[in-house]
Amino acid sequence: MDFGLVLQTDPPASQVISLMKRAERNGFRYGWTFDSAVLWQEPFVIYSQILAHTQKLHIGPMVTNPGTRTWEVTASTFATLNDMYGNRTVCGIGRGDSAMRVAGRAPNTLARLGEAIEVIRDLAEGREAVVDGKPLRIPWIKDGRLPVWMAAYGPKALALAGEKADGFILQLADPYLTEWMIKAVREAAARAGRDPESITICVAAPAYVTDDLAHARDQCRWFGGMVGNHVADLVSRYGEHSGMVPDALTDYIKTRQGYDYSHHGRAGNPSTDFVPDEIIDRFCLLGPAEAHIEKLRVLRDLGVDQFAVYDMHDARESTVDAYGQHVIPALRD
């Protein structure tokens, strides 16, 4: 199993770079950041410095979207980083939540997302693609490589990930839901004539290594609120108890009342009081290192290739170090 570190690009950028260097020293192979231009600093500028100060770490957004940048700009940016530092980038992409909504726009449609996945990958790897009706090719790209991993929860999005993406990003670590969603992605891949096992599966969730579960839950409760934004979209689209989405994913948002993006992804988010402890325990990895190892082995056996640690709490350095000392060696053996 591979491991990734997920950060927000809060200033100063030097702290983001330092944590990514620390992650690589501790055996992490991937470094991810949020991508929301109004809420945080521009990640692609920071990626250049992360790549310059690491040797093997692969870098990318978790996740970008097709709406805040034109597709040829996104492709050229990835390709430039790859040309400078070797093919060490991954394009995590989704419909867009905070990046679009904070700017007053609706998330992108799945049709637009599916088209963007193919166009961005083709352009970044040096092939011709059609953008807004015009054939384009970036002529200076040689031996380009850009895996595109798609974030998804709902049935139509999971099907799209199976049909078109190189990887699937699931932003929660509940084993039951993980199994359900991996199955949906792989079945869609098979229907599309693809090898289901060729799709990389990445589970991303907060991890907090401690014996103080109450404190860890309070530090990670924000995650249930973040996931709840996507779940609320699913409920509005498919309805409650529709059978299209597991009740184990949707039931907990019944008392949700709005969401303030100014606290998005942060400990102490006042918009997440509706999230019960049970959801935090299911969606996150909390407790001593042994508990993390036990749950990660279950996820690995379900087909998860990478666990990406959301490190947005008050123990960022110690979590990275605990994973490097205890967790990663146990899952690499």
Side-chain angles (χ1 to χ4, degrees):
M1 178 179 273
D2 282 332
F3 288 84
L5 181 69
V6 189
L7 301 173
Q8 294 169 333
T9 51
D10 287 316
S14 58
Q15 289 186 357
V16 178
I17 297 162
S18 177
L19 275 167
M20 290 298 185
K21 291 166 61 178
R22 191 184 198 111
E24 184 177 61
R25 292 196 302 269
N26 276 284
F28 289 75
R29 290 192 58 208
Y30 287 80
W32 305 92
T33 74
F34 284 28
D35 177 17
S36 190
V38 175
L39 295 177
W40 302 289
Q41 292 187 331
E42 171 54 38
F44 285 94
V45 176
I46 299 171
Y47 293 163
S48 185
Q49 288 298 300
I50 296 171
L51 290 164
H53 287 86
T54 57
Q55 285 70 53
K56 297 181 179 180
L57 203 67
H58 287 68
I59 296 297
M62 189 176 280
V63 291
T64 193
N65 71 86
T68 51
R69 298 178 182 83
T70 61
W71 301 350
E72 69 273 17
V73 169
T74 299
S76 182
T77 304
F78 277 111
T80 300
L81 292 171
N82 284 339
D83 188 64
M84 294 172 68
Y85 300 106
N87 289 327
R88 291 169 55 198
T89 66
V90 182
C91 177
I93 194 168
R95 292 176 60 228
D97 177 35
S98 63
M100 298 296 288
R101 288 183 164 122
V102 169
R105 308 184 190 107
N108 296 270
T109 64
L110 287 175
R112 180 173 171 82
L113 175 57
E115 184 182 359
I117 287 172
E118 295 183 327
V119 167
I120 291 169
R121 181 170 52 212
D122 283 344
L123 289 176
E125 294 186 346
R127 294 184 295 276
E128 182 180 281
V130 177
V131 181
D132 295 330
K134 180 179 175 58
L136 297 177
R137 189 178 76 83
I138 303 175
W140 51 264
I141 296 176
K142 301 292 187 291
D143 302 319
R145 170 72 176 142
L146 183 65
V148 181
W149 297 7
M150 180 182 154
Y153 291 108
K156 292 181 180 179
L158 294 168
L160 181 62
E163 291 163 4
K164 296 193 175 184
D166 301 299
F168 164 50
I169 297 172
L170 173 58
Q171 291 163 310
L172 54 80
D174 175 78
Y176 170 76
L177 293 173
T178 298
E179 183 177 19
W180 188 88
M181 293 188 186
I182 290 175
K183 180 181 178 182
V185 169
R186 288 182 168 162
E187 287 179 348
R191 289 194 301 269
R194 304 179 68 198
D195 176 7
E197 300 299 323
S198 70
I199 300 173
T200 302
I201 307 296
C202 175
V203 161
Y208 198 116
V209 181
T210 181
D211 291 325
D212 187 346
L213 278 177
H215 181 72
R217 286 169 181 150
D218 286 342
Q219 285 291 303
C220 297
R221 198 173 305 274
W222 63 266
F223 185 67
M226 188 185 83
V227 174
N229 295 333
H230 302 284
V231 174
D233 283 347
L234 295 177
V235 171
S236 67
R237 186 174 299 115
Y238 298 107
E240 294 184 9
H241 311 298
S242 64
M244 298 294 290
V245 182
D247 292 346
L249 177 61
T250 59
D251 278 351
Y252 83 97
I253 69 161
K254 289 179 180 178
T255 59
R256 177 182 181 270
Q257 296 180 343
Y259 189 83
D260 182 356
Y261 277 93
S262 66
H263 304 283
H264 189 56
R266 300 187 187 282
N269 186 334
S271 299
T272 61
D273 291 345
F274 69 94
V275 181
D277 288 351
E278 177 209 356
I279 287 294
I280 305 168
D281 292 346
R282 283 173 44 204
F283 286 10
C284 304
L285 275 77
L286 311 175
E290 293 76 15
H292 293 241
I293 293 167
E294 180 180 0
K295 189 169 185 178
L296 286 167
R297 283 177 173 155
V298 172
L299 293 172
R300 182 186 61 186
D301 290 345
L302 293 174
V304 175
D305 301 297
Q306 179 185 155
F307 177 62
V309 175
Y310 276 110
D311 204 25
M312 279 73 83
H313 47 59
D314 63 0
R316 296 189 301 173
E317 290 84 359
S318 63
T319 296
V320 170
D321 292 345
Y323 262 67
Q325 183 177 357
H326 302 292
V327 180
I328 292 176
L331 272 295
R332 287 264 170 88
D333 292 343

